[in-house]
Every structure is written in C-alpha cells, then in structure tokens.
Amino acid sequence: MATAEATLLCIILIFLAIFQLLLIAGLPLGRFAWGGRHEVLPTHLRIGTPDEVQTADEDRTTVKSCQSADSAALPSV
C-alpha cells in the first residue's frame, strides 16, 4: 500500500512542477496561484516560481528514495 501512496504523491508533485513551469511560461493560470490576483503572473512573481519547481522535484526524489528504502527493508511474503 505504501508503494501506491508514494506513486500517487510523485504523480501529484510532477503535475505541480508542470503547473509551475506553465506559470513561468506566462500562460494565463495565475488565478490558481499566488492568491489568484493575476490572470498572467507579473515578472516579479515568475521569478519566485522556479524555486517551487525545484522544491517539488526534490520532494519527488525524496519520496522515491523512501519508497526504495521501504521496499528493501520489508521481508518478502
């Protein structure tokens, strides 16, 4: 069950990273981010967005590492 949960979390984080990249590209998705005040994010808000992409990627990597460690520690049934 932990594998399914980790996989789901990785998928969510991948979609979050894609969403952040679309925000950086200037697509009109600003109403879903940064409080919804802007349809297209202004430049000063786009500058902070790459940090979010990197954080999501680091989280995904951590989950995959934990998933591998958990499966190696469990005995075969």
Tab-separated table of all heavy atoms in Angstrom, residues 6-69:
chain	number	residue	atom	x	y	z
A	6	ALA	N	3.082	6.361	-2.394
A	6	ALA	CA	4.276	7.073	-2.854
A	6	ALA	C	4.175	7.405	-4.335
A	6	ALA	O	4.551	8.500	-4.763
A	6	ALA	CB	5.524	6.240	-2.574
A	7	THR	N	3.644	6.478	-5.117
A	7	THR	CA	3.467	6.720	-6.548
A	7	THR	C	2.479	7.857	-6.784
A	7	THR	O	2.724	8.734	-7.614
A	7	THR	CB	2.987	5.435	-7.248
A	7	THR	OG1	3.947	4.405	-7.005
A	7	THR	CG2	2.830	5.645	-8.733
A	8	LEU	N	1.376	7.844	-6.053
A	8	LEU	CA	0.383	8.918	-6.183
A	8	LEU	C	0.992	10.265	-5.812
A	8	LEU	O	0.791	11.259	-6.513
A	8	LEU	CB	-0.836	8.631	-5.310
A	8	LEU	CG	-1.933	9.691	-5.323
A	8	LEU	CD1	-2.503	9.848	-6.730
A	8	LEU	CD2	-3.021	9.335	-4.327
A	9	LEU	N	1.768	10.293	-4.741
A	9	LEU	CA	2.409	11.542	-4.332
A	9	LEU	C	3.378	12.029	-5.407
A	9	LEU	O	3.418	13.227	-5.717
A	9	LEU	CB	3.133	11.356	-3.004
A	9	LEU	CG	3.825	12.595	-2.437
A	9	LEU	CD1	2.825	13.730	-2.226
A	9	LEU	CD2	4.533	12.262	-1.149
A	10	CYS	N	4.130	11.123	-6.009
A	10	CYS	CA	5.054	11.503	-7.086
A	10	CYS	C	4.299	12.073	-8.285
A	10	CYS	O	4.736	13.065	-8.875
A	10	CYS	CB	5.895	10.307	-7.519
A	10	CYS	SG	7.189	9.896	-6.346
A	11	ILE	N	3.181	11.480	-8.625
A	11	ILE	CA	2.385	11.984	-9.750
A	11	ILE	C	1.872	13.383	-9.453
A	11	ILE	O	1.936	14.273	-10.312
A	11	ILE	CB	1.230	11.009	-10.060
A	11	ILE	CG1	1.786	9.712	-10.655
A	11	ILE	CG2	0.209	11.640	-11.002
A	11	ILE	CD1	0.771	8.598	-10.761
A	12	ILE	N	1.387	13.603	-8.240
A	12	ILE	CA	0.900	14.932	-7.858
A	12	ILE	C	2.022	15.957	-7.942
A	12	ILE	O	1.837	17.064	-8.452
A	12	ILE	CB	0.282	14.888	-6.446
A	12	ILE	CG1	-1.014	14.096	-6.470
A	12	ILE	CG2	0.048	16.294	-5.904
A	12	ILE	CD1	-1.584	13.779	-5.105
A	13	LEU	N	3.211	15.590	-7.452
A	13	LEU	CA	4.339	16.519	-7.484
A	13	LEU	C	4.794	16.806	-8.914
A	13	LEU	O	5.204	17.932	-9.222
A	13	LEU	CB	5.489	15.974	-6.644
A	13	LEU	CG	5.226	15.945	-5.136
A	13	LEU	CD1	6.338	15.206	-4.415
A	13	LEU	CD2	5.057	17.350	-4.582
A	14	ILE	N	4.710	15.829	-9.798
A	14	ILE	CA	5.063	16.056	-11.202
A	14	ILE	C	4.084	17.047	-11.834
A	14	ILE	O	4.479	17.972	-12.540
A	14	ILE	CB	5.108	14.721	-11.982
A	14	ILE	CG1	6.335	13.928	-11.553
A	14	ILE	CG2	5.112	14.963	-13.482
A	14	ILE	CD1	6.350	12.498	-12.038
A	15	PHE	N	2.775	16.863	-11.565
A	15	PHE	CA	1.789	17.808	-12.089
A	15	PHE	C	1.997	19.206	-11.515
A	15	PHE	O	1.836	20.201	-12.221
A	15	PHE	CB	0.361	17.324	-11.819
A	15	PHE	CG	-0.118	16.318	-12.809
A	15	PHE	CD1	-0.357	15.010	-12.428
A	15	PHE	CD2	-0.317	16.662	-14.134
A	15	PHE	CE1	-0.788	14.064	-13.344
A	15	PHE	CE2	-0.751	15.733	-15.071
A	15	PHE	CZ	-0.989	14.426	-14.666
A	16	LEU	N	2.388	19.287	-10.253
A	16	LEU	CA	2.677	20.586	-9.648
A	16	LEU	C	3.856	21.259	-10.345
A	16	LEU	O	3.818	22.466	-10.634
A	16	LEU	CB	2.958	20.421	-8.156
A	16	LEU	CG	3.302	21.689	-7.396
A	16	LEU	CD1	2.153	22.688	-7.436
A	16	LEU	CD2	3.670	21.370	-5.963
A	17	ALA	N	4.896	20.504	-10.642
A	17	ALA	CA	6.059	21.056	-11.333
A	17	ALA	C	5.683	21.533	-12.733
A	17	ALA	O	6.109	22.613	-13.172
A	17	ALA	CB	7.174	20.024	-11.406
A	18	ILE	N	4.861	20.763	-13.447
A	18	ILE	CA	4.409	21.168	-14.785
A	18	ILE	C	3.590	22.451	-14.695
A	18	ILE	O	3.764	23.378	-15.490
A	18	ILE	CB	3.610	20.038	-15.453
A	18	ILE	CG1	4.538	18.863	-15.785
A	18	ILE	CG2	2.892	20.525	-16.705
A	18	ILE	CD1	3.823	17.601	-16.195
A	19	PHE	N	2.707	22.528	-13.707
A	19	PHE	CA	1.900	23.734	-13.495
A	19	PHE	C	2.791	24.947	-13.266
A	19	PHE	O	2.578	26.015	-13.841
A	19	PHE	CB	0.956	23.514	-12.305
A	19	PHE	CG	0.197	24.731	-11.889
A	19	PHE	CD1	-0.817	25.233	-12.678
A	19	PHE	CD2	0.494	25.365	-10.693
A	19	PHE	CE1	-1.525	26.364	-12.295
A	19	PHE	CE2	-0.203	26.486	-10.298
A	19	PHE	CZ	-1.220	26.994	-11.101
A	20	GLN	N	3.817	24.780	-12.439
A	20	GLN	CA	4.722	25.888	-12.158
A	20	GLN	C	5.478	26.316	-13.427
A	20	GLN	O	5.680	27.506	-13.653
A	20	GLN	CB	5.714	25.499	-11.052
A	20	GLN	CG	5.072	25.242	-9.716
A	20	GLN	CD	4.507	26.484	-9.063
A	20	GLN	OE1	4.877	27.603	-9.388
A	20	GLN	NE2	3.595	26.283	-8.145
A	21	LEU	N	5.881	25.351	-14.239
A	21	LEU	CA	6.570	25.687	-15.492
A	21	LEU	C	5.643	26.449	-16.442
A	21	LEU	O	6.082	27.378	-17.138
A	21	LEU	CB	7.111	24.426	-16.159
A	21	LEU	CG	8.277	23.757	-15.437
A	21	LEU	CD1	8.599	22.409	-16.068
A	21	LEU	CD2	9.500	24.656	-15.441
A	22	LEU	N	4.370	26.083	-16.475
A	22	LEU	CA	3.410	26.806	-17.304
A	22	LEU	C	3.213	28.235	-16.795
A	22	LEU	O	3.048	29.160	-17.592
A	22	LEU	CB	2.080	26.056	-17.344
A	22	LEU	CG	2.108	24.694	-18.042
A	22	LEU	CD1	0.771	23.991	-17.894
A	22	LEU	CD2	2.491	24.835	-19.499
A	23	LEU	N	3.257	28.419	-15.486
A	23	LEU	CA	3.178	29.768	-14.926
A	23	LEU	C	4.390	30.604	-15.353
A	23	LEU	O	4.251	31.776	-15.716
A	23	LEU	CB	3.101	29.723	-13.399
A	23	LEU	CG	1.783	29.279	-12.797
A	23	LEU	CD1	1.940	29.104	-11.290
A	23	LEU	CD2	0.681	30.277	-13.097
A	24	ILE	N	5.570	29.989	-15.310
A	24	ILE	CA	6.787	30.687	-15.725
A	24	ILE	C	6.693	31.092	-17.190
A	24	ILE	O	7.118	32.181	-17.575
A	24	ILE	CB	8.030	29.794	-15.501
A	24	ILE	CG1	8.257	29.573	-14.017
A	24	ILE	CG2	9.267	30.407	-16.144
A	24	ILE	CD1	9.281	28.498	-13.715
A	25	ALA	N	6.097	30.232	-18.006
A	25	ALA	CA	5.975	30.494	-19.444
A	25	ALA	C	4.974	31.614	-19.746
A	25	ALA	O	4.922	32.106	-20.868
A	25	ALA	CB	5.556	29.222	-20.168
A	26	GLY	N	4.174	31.999	-18.753
A	26	GLY	CA	3.252	33.105	-18.962
A	26	GLY	C	1.850	32.696	-19.362
A	26	GLY	O	1.065	33.546	-19.794
A	27	LEU	N	1.509	31.438	-19.215
A	27	LEU	CA	0.142	31.025	-19.517
A	27	LEU	C	-0.825	31.642	-18.504
A	27	LEU	O	-0.452	31.873	-17.356
A	27	LEU	CB	0.025	29.505	-19.501
A	27	LEU	CG	0.272	28.835	-20.856
A	27	LEU	CD1	1.693	28.991	-21.295
A	27	LEU	CD2	-0.141	27.412	-20.808
A	28	PRO	N	-2.043	31.889	-18.895
A	28	PRO	CA	-2.997	32.573	-18.006
A	28	PRO	C	-3.578	31.647	-16.926
A	28	PRO	O	-4.767	31.366	-16.890
A	28	PRO	CB	-4.078	33.064	-18.966
A	28	PRO	CG	-4.036	32.107	-20.094
A	28	PRO	CD	-2.588	31.704	-20.230
A	29	LEU	N	-2.712	31.162	-16.056
A	29	LEU	CA	-3.131	30.280	-14.968
A	29	LEU	C	-2.929	30.936	-13.606
A	29	LEU	O	-3.016	30.272	-12.577
A	29	LEU	CB	-2.334	28.969	-15.024
A	29	LEU	CG	-2.482	28.155	-16.297
A	29	LEU	CD1	-1.488	26.999	-16.304
A	29	LEU	CD2	-3.895	27.640	-16.428
A	30	GLY	N	-2.670	32.216	-13.610
A	30	GLY	CA	-2.384	32.927	-12.374
A	30	GLY	C	-3.518	32.915	-11.375
A	30	GLY	O	-3.289	33.047	-10.177
A	31	ARG	N	-4.736	32.741	-11.829
A	31	ARG	CA	-5.865	32.722	-10.894
A	31	ARG	C	-5.818	31.513	-9.971
A	31	ARG	O	-6.475	31.479	-8.943
A	31	ARG	CB	-7.182	32.771	-11.658
A	31	ARG	CG	-7.462	31.565	-12.508
A	31	ARG	CD	-8.774	31.702	-13.268
A	31	ARG	NE	-8.956	30.619	-14.215
A	31	ARG	CZ	-8.553	30.645	-15.470
A	31	ARG	NH1	-7.930	31.720	-15.942
A	31	ARG	NH2	-8.746	29.623	-16.260
A	32	PHE	N	-5.012	30.489	-10.324
A	32	PHE	CA	-4.872	29.298	-9.490
A	32	PHE	C	-3.639	29.366	-8.580
A	32	PHE	O	-3.387	28.423	-7.837
A	32	PHE	CB	-4.768	28.046	-10.364
A	32	PHE	CG	-5.950	27.853	-11.265
A	32	PHE	CD1	-5.808	27.937	-12.637
A	32	PHE	CD2	-7.201	27.599	-10.742
A	32	PHE	CE1	-6.894	27.762	-13.476
A	32	PHE	CE2	-8.297	27.421	-11.566
A	32	PHE	CZ	-8.147	27.511	-12.934
A	33	ALA	N	-2.862	30.442	-8.679
A	33	ALA	CA	-1.620	30.539	-7.915
A	33	ALA	C	-1.447	31.946	-7.346
A	33	ALA	O	-2.060	32.899	-7.826
A	33	ALA	CB	-0.431	30.200	-8.820
A	34	TRP	N	-0.600	32.047	-6.348
A	34	TRP	CA	-0.238	33.325	-5.751
A	34	TRP	C	-1.471	34.141	-5.334
A	34	TRP	O	-1.528	35.347	-5.511
A	34	TRP	CB	0.632	34.145	-6.699
A	34	TRP	CG	1.989	33.560	-6.925
A	34	TRP	CD1	2.347	32.744	-7.965
A	34	TRP	CD2	3.146	33.714	-6.122
A	34	TRP	NE1	3.655	32.389	-7.851
A	34	TRP	CE2	4.182	32.978	-6.727
A	34	TRP	CE3	3.420	34.411	-4.959
A	34	TRP	CZ2	5.466	32.916	-6.187
A	34	TRP	CZ3	4.693	34.347	-4.429
A	34	TRP	CH2	5.691	33.612	-5.045
A	35	GLY	N	-2.468	33.483	-4.822
A	35	GLY	CA	-3.643	34.180	-4.307
A	35	GLY	C	-4.680	34.531	-5.346
A	35	GLY	O	-5.721	35.091	-5.020
A	36	GLY	N	-4.435	34.230	-6.601
A	36	GLY	CA	-5.416	34.446	-7.656
A	36	GLY	C	-5.619	35.889	-8.076
A	36	GLY	O	-6.612	36.214	-8.719
A	37	ARG	N	-4.706	36.754	-7.749
A	37	ARG	CA	-4.878	38.181	-8.083
A	37	ARG	C	-4.583	38.506	-9.536
A	37	ARG	O	-5.042	39.522	-10.039
A	37	ARG	CB	-3.977	39.037	-7.200
A	37	ARG	CG	-4.399	39.022	-5.768
A	37	ARG	CD	-3.582	39.975	-4.967
A	37	ARG	NE	-4.054	39.966	-3.585
A	37	ARG	CZ	-3.662	40.821	-2.700
A	37	ARG	NH1	-2.789	41.759	-3.017
A	37	ARG	NH2	-4.121	40.745	-1.478
A	38	HIS	N	-3.797	37.697	-10.188
A	38	HIS	CA	-3.373	37.990	-11.563
A	38	HIS	C	-3.766	36.846	-12.488
A	38	HIS	O	-3.583	35.686	-12.151
A	38	HIS	CB	-1.854	38.185	-11.634
A	38	HIS	CG	-1.329	39.185	-10.665
A	38	HIS	ND1	-1.420	40.533	-10.885
A	38	HIS	CD2	-0.717	39.030	-9.466
A	38	HIS	CE1	-0.878	41.168	-9.865
A	38	HIS	NE2	-0.445	40.283	-8.988
A	39	GLU	N	-4.266	37.184	-13.661
A	39	GLU	CA	-4.561	36.166	-14.673
A	39	GLU	C	-3.250	35.590	-15.214
A	39	GLU	O	-3.070	34.385	-15.305
A	39	GLU	CB	-5.392	36.775	-15.812
A	39	GLU	CG	-5.866	35.780	-16.834
A	39	GLU	CD	-6.942	34.835	-16.308
A	39	GLU	OE1	-7.640	35.177	-15.339
A	39	GLU	OE2	-7.066	33.750	-16.870
A	40	VAL	N	-2.341	36.466	-15.600
A	40	VAL	CA	-0.987	36.091	-16.011
A	40	VAL	C	-0.052	36.673	-14.970
A	40	VAL	O	-0.143	37.852	-14.638
A	40	VAL	CB	-0.654	36.654	-17.413
A	40	VAL	CG1	0.782	36.346	-17.779
A	40	VAL	CG2	-1.602	36.081	-18.455
A	41	LEU	N	0.839	35.854	-14.442
A	41	LEU	CA	1.721	36.338	-13.386
A	41	LEU	C	2.662	37.422	-13.896
A	41	LEU	O	3.263	37.275	-14.964
A	41	LEU	CB	2.555	35.196	-12.811
A	41	LEU	CG	1.818	34.127	-12.023
A	41	LEU	CD1	2.812	33.107	-11.478
A	41	LEU	CD2	1.020	34.720	-10.890
A	42	PRO	N	2.816	38.495	-13.131
A	42	PRO	CA	3.808	39.504	-13.499
A	42	PRO	C	5.223	38.957	-13.294
A	42	PRO	O	5.414	37.942	-12.618
A	42	PRO	CB	3.516	40.660	-12.542
A	42	PRO	CG	2.712	40.097	-11.441
A	42	PRO	CD	2.047	38.873	-11.962
A	43	THR	N	6.171	39.635	-13.872
A	43	THR	CA	7.561	39.156	-13.863
A	43	THR	C	8.080	38.911	-12.452
A	43	THR	O	8.743	37.910	-12.202
A	43	THR	CB	8.470	40.165	-14.586
A	43	THR	OG1	7.956	40.360	-15.901
A	43	THR	CG2	9.886	39.643	-14.680
A	44	HIS	N	7.791	39.805	-11.529
A	44	HIS	CA	8.354	39.635	-10.184
A	44	HIS	C	7.809	38.389	-9.477
A	44	HIS	O	8.476	37.838	-8.611
A	44	HIS	CB	8.136	40.890	-9.332
A	44	HIS	CG	6.724	41.129	-8.905
A	44	HIS	ND1	5.794	41.727	-9.729
A	44	HIS	CD2	6.088	40.847	-7.750
A	44	HIS	CE1	4.639	41.813	-9.089
A	44	HIS	NE2	4.790	41.279	-7.883
A	45	LEU	N	6.644	37.899	-9.859
A	45	LEU	CA	6.138	36.650	-9.290
A	45	LEU	C	6.658	35.430	-10.047
A	45	LEU	O	6.804	34.353	-9.476
A	45	LEU	CB	4.606	36.642	-9.283
A	45	LEU	CG	3.943	37.617	-8.327
A	45	LEU	CD1	2.430	37.532	-8.437
A	45	LEU	CD2	4.394	37.378	-6.899
A	46	ARG	N	6.942	35.604	-11.322
A	46	ARG	CA	7.502	34.485	-12.097
A	46	ARG	C	8.903	34.135	-11.622
A	46	ARG	O	9.341	33.003	-11.743
A	46	ARG	CB	7.566	34.829	-13.578
A	46	ARG	CG	6.220	34.879	-14.224
A	46	ARG	CD	6.391	35.045	-15.712
A	46	ARG	NE	5.210	35.613	-16.311
A	46	ARG	CZ	5.106	35.887	-17.576
A	46	ARG	NH1	6.119	35.658	-18.384
A	46	ARG	NH2	3.987	36.386	-18.053
A	47	ILE	N	9.609	35.116	-11.068
A	47	ILE	CA	10.975	34.879	-10.600
A	47	ILE	C	10.981	33.892	-9.438
A	47	ILE	O	11.872	33.058	-9.319
A	47	ILE	CB	11.637	36.220	-10.199
A	47	ILE	CG1	11.863	37.049	-11.463
A	47	ILE	CG2	12.939	35.991	-9.460
A	47	ILE	CD1	12.307	38.461	-11.208
A	48	GLY	N	9.959	33.930	-8.567
A	48	GLY	CA	9.896	33.016	-7.434
A	48	GLY	C	9.423	31.628	-7.792
A	48	GLY	O	9.595	30.688	-7.021
A	49	THR	N	8.855	31.461	-8.954
A	49	THR	CA	8.263	30.184	-9.338
A	49	THR	C	9.301	29.075	-9.578
A	49	THR	O	9.047	27.941	-9.192
A	49	THR	CB	7.365	30.383	-10.574
A	49	THR	OG1	6.361	31.345	-10.242
A	49	THR	CG2	6.686	29.108	-10.984
A	50	PRO	N	10.476	29.330	-10.170
A	50	PRO	CA	11.443	28.230	-10.359
A	50	PRO	C	11.864	27.559	-9.056
A	50	PRO	O	12.138	26.364	-9.031
A	50	PRO	CB	12.639	28.901	-11.040
A	50	PRO	CG	12.054	30.062	-11.742
A	50	PRO	CD	10.929	30.536	-10.859
A	51	ASP	N	11.878	28.309	-7.959
A	51	ASP	CA	12.202	27.689	-6.672
A	51	ASP	C	11.163	26.644	-6.295
A	51	ASP	O	11.491	25.612	-5.710
A	51	ASP	CB	12.286	28.748	-5.568
A	51	ASP	CG	13.499	29.648	-5.725
A	51	ASP	OD1	14.490	29.200	-6.336
A	51	ASP	OD2	13.458	30.780	-5.233
A	52	GLU	N	9.912	26.902	-6.627
A	52	GLU	CA	8.847	25.941	-6.338
A	52	GLU	C	9.019	24.673	-7.170
A	52	GLU	O	8.768	23.577	-6.684
A	52	GLU	CB	7.476	26.566	-6.623
A	52	GLU	CG	7.154	27.742	-5.735
A	52	GLU	CD	7.089	27.358	-4.272
A	52	GLU	OE1	6.623	26.240	-3.967
A	52	GLU	OE2	7.508	28.164	-3.439
A	53	VAL	N	9.446	24.826	-8.417
A	53	VAL	CA	9.667	23.654	-9.277
A	53	VAL	C	10.791	22.801	-8.710
A	53	VAL	O	10.675	21.581	-8.616
A	53	VAL	CB	9.984	24.080	-10.731
A	53	VAL	CG1	10.376	22.881	-11.570
A	53	VAL	CG2	8.806	24.811	-11.332
A	54	GLN	N	11.861	23.435	-8.285
A	54	GLN	CA	12.991	22.701	-7.719
A	54	GLN	C	12.577	21.996	-6.431
A	54	GLN	O	12.927	20.842	-6.210
A	54	GLN	CB	14.155	23.643	-7.440
A	54	GLN	CG	15.363	22.931	-6.869
A	54	GLN	CD	16.520	23.862	-6.608
A	54	GLN	OE1	16.425	25.056	-6.828
A	54	GLN	NE2	17.607	23.323	-6.135
A	55	THR	N	11.796	22.662	-5.593
A	55	THR	CA	11.336	22.057	-4.348
A	55	THR	C	10.464	20.838	-4.626
A	55	THR	O	10.613	19.795	-3.977
A	55	THR	CB	10.547	23.085	-3.507
A	55	THR	OG1	11.392	24.203	-3.252
A	55	THR	CG2	10.080	22.489	-2.203
A	56	ALA	N	9.567	20.939	-5.600
A	56	ALA	CA	8.705	19.805	-5.944
A	56	ALA	C	9.534	18.633	-6.461
A	56	ALA	O	9.261	17.470	-6.134
A	56	ALA	CB	7.668	20.227	-6.983
A	57	ASP	N	10.577	18.917	-7.246
A	57	ASP	CA	11.436	17.854	-7.764
A	57	ASP	C	12.206	17.187	-6.625
A	57	ASP	O	12.347	15.970	-6.602
A	57	ASP	CB	12.395	18.406	-8.815
A	57	ASP	CG	13.208	17.301	-9.459
A	57	ASP	OD1	12.595	16.313	-9.919
A	57	ASP	OD2	14.447	17.418	-9.500
A	58	GLU	N	12.690	17.992	-5.674
A	58	GLU	CA	13.392	17.420	-4.528
A	58	GLU	C	12.457	16.559	-3.689
A	58	GLU	O	12.850	15.499	-3.205
A	58	GLU	CB	13.989	18.537	-3.674
A	58	GLU	CG	15.147	19.245	-4.344
A	58	GLU	CD	15.561	20.505	-3.608
A	58	GLU	OE1	14.917	20.869	-2.597
A	58	GLU	OE2	16.527	21.152	-4.050
A	59	ASP	N	11.219	16.984	-3.525
A	59	ASP	CA	10.241	16.188	-2.779
A	59	ASP	C	9.977	14.866	-3.475
A	59	ASP	O	9.896	13.821	-2.836
A	59	ASP	CB	8.924	16.957	-2.619
A	59	ASP	CG	9.050	18.148	-1.695
A	59	ASP	OD1	10.047	18.223	-0.948
A	59	ASP	OD2	8.158	19.011	-1.731
A	60	ARG	N	9.835	14.905	-4.802
A	60	ARG	CA	9.585	13.686	-5.568
A	60	ARG	C	10.758	12.722	-5.419
A	60	ARG	O	10.575	11.522	-5.225
A	60	ARG	CB	9.366	14.022	-7.043
A	60	ARG	CG	9.042	12.831	-7.913
A	60	ARG	CD	8.925	13.210	-9.375
A	60	ARG	NE	10.105	13.860	-9.888
A	60	ARG	CZ	11.219	13.239	-10.285
A	60	ARG	NH1	11.291	11.933	-10.226
A	60	ARG	NH2	12.241	13.910	-10.741
A	61	THR	N	11.983	13.239	-5.469
A	61	THR	CA	13.173	12.408	-5.322
A	61	THR	C	13.222	11.786	-3.933
A	61	THR	O	13.559	10.610	-3.783
A	61	THR	CB	14.445	13.243	-5.577
A	61	THR	OG1	14.350	13.827	-6.883
A	61	THR	CG2	15.692	12.397	-5.495
A	62	THR	N	12.867	12.560	-2.921
A	62	THR	CA	12.860	12.050	-1.554
A	62	THR	C	11.842	10.924	-1.398
A	62	THR	O	12.124	9.898	-0.781
A	62	THR	CB	12.542	13.184	-0.561
A	62	THR	OG1	13.515	14.213	-0.715
A	62	THR	CG2	12.544	12.683	0.862
A	63	VAL	N	10.659	11.110	-1.972
A	63	VAL	CA	9.626	10.075	-1.882
A	63	VAL	C	10.090	8.805	-2.562
A	63	VAL	O	9.934	7.706	-2.031
A	63	VAL	CB	8.299	10.580	-2.499
A	63	VAL	CG1	7.315	9.440	-2.664
A	63	VAL	CG2	7.709	11.676	-1.656
A	64	LYS	N	10.710	8.923	-3.739
A	64	LYS	CA	11.186	7.731	-4.444
A	64	LYS	C	12.288	7.031	-3.647
A	64	LYS	O	12.335	5.811	-3.593
A	64	LYS	CB	11.689	8.097	-5.837
A	64	LYS	CG	10.558	8.364	-6.792
A	64	LYS	CD	11.050	8.203	-8.205
A	64	LYS	CE	9.881	8.009	-9.095
A	64	LYS	NZ	9.796	6.703	-9.656
A	65	SER	N	13.158	7.811	-2.980
A	65	SER	CA	14.215	7.214	-2.165
A	65	SER	C	13.618	6.466	-0.981
A	65	SER	O	14.043	5.357	-0.659
A	65	SER	CB	15.171	8.291	-1.655
A	65	SER	OG	15.820	8.916	-2.725
A	66	CYS	N	12.631	7.072	-0.344
A	66	CYS	CA	11.975	6.420	0.794
A	66	CYS	C	11.245	5.166	0.342
A	66	CYS	O	11.241	4.158	1.043
A	66	CYS	CB	10.996	7.384	1.467
A	66	CYS	SG	11.809	8.741	2.324
A	67	GLN	N	10.626	5.244	-0.825
A	67	GLN	CA	9.904	4.094	-1.356
A	67	GLN	C	10.877	2.932	-1.573
A	67	GLN	O	10.588	1.795	-1.230
A	67	GLN	CB	9.220	4.469	-2.655
A	67	GLN	CG	8.455	3.348	-3.307
A	67	GLN	CD	7.840	3.782	-4.634
A	67	GLN	OE1	7.982	4.909	-5.054
A	67	GLN	NE2	7.182	2.867	-5.278
A	68	SER	N	12.047	3.216	-2.133
A	68	SER	CA	13.036	2.171	-2.372
A	68	SER	C	13.549	1.588	-1.060
A	68	SER	O	13.706	0.391	-0.920
A	68	SER	CB	14.212	2.725	-3.169
A	68	SER	OG	13.777	3.143	-4.430
A	69	ALA	N	13.779	2.468	-0.089
A	69	ALA	CA	14.285	2.013	1.212
A	69	ALA	C	13.235	1.174	1.920
A	69	ALA	O	13.563	0.139	2.539
A	69	ALA	CB	14.663	3.214	2.055
